[in-house]
Amino acid sequence: RGLNVNNVEDILDYMEEGGYADFGGSPVHTLATLHFAEHFQFENLYIDAFAHAVGMHDEIIQSPEYKVRSTKSGNVNNTY
């Protein structure tokens, strides 16, 4: 990769094109994006994913990916 490449923009474009940024009805995408945004400290993306996770609470807690969450992201379960 060259020096004039914007890695952040590229990964966000990849997520958008791959449907990962489309949280509607996909707990797996929501949790993956939540984890990604938390790890790389993308605050706006984290807030968006977290809000969707709260709204998808019943589906989220049934997902196998739910068990592989951080303490911070685990607060999705404690918002009710």
Side-chain angles (χ1 to χ4, degrees):
R1 298 197 40 110
L3 295 175
N4 296 327
V5 176
N6 185 334
N7 292 325
V8 172
E9 185 177 314
D10 287 350
I11 190 66
L12 294 176
D13 286 345
Y14 173 83
M15 290 175 67
E16 187 71 39
E17 291 170 12
Y20 296 103
D22 181 17
F23 306 124
S26 178
V28 172
H29 287 177
T30 302
L31 288 170
T33 303
L34 186 65
H35 178 74
F36 173 83
E38 181 180 347
H39 181 79
F40 290 103
Q41 300 177 358
F42 292 131
E43 183 177 9
N44 290 337
L45 184 60
Y46 179 84
I47 291 169
D48 194 27
F50 188 84
H52 278 84
V54 170
M56 301 170 77
H57 178 263
D58 293 339
E59 294 88 3
I60 293 285
I61 62 172
Q62 299 300 320
S63 174
E65 287 81 8
Y66 180 72
K67 293 174 178 58
V68 187
R69 70 197 187 291
S70 73
T71 304
K72 181 178 178 184
S73 294
N75 288 332
V76 169
N77 194 33
N78 297 327
T79 58
Y80 289 97

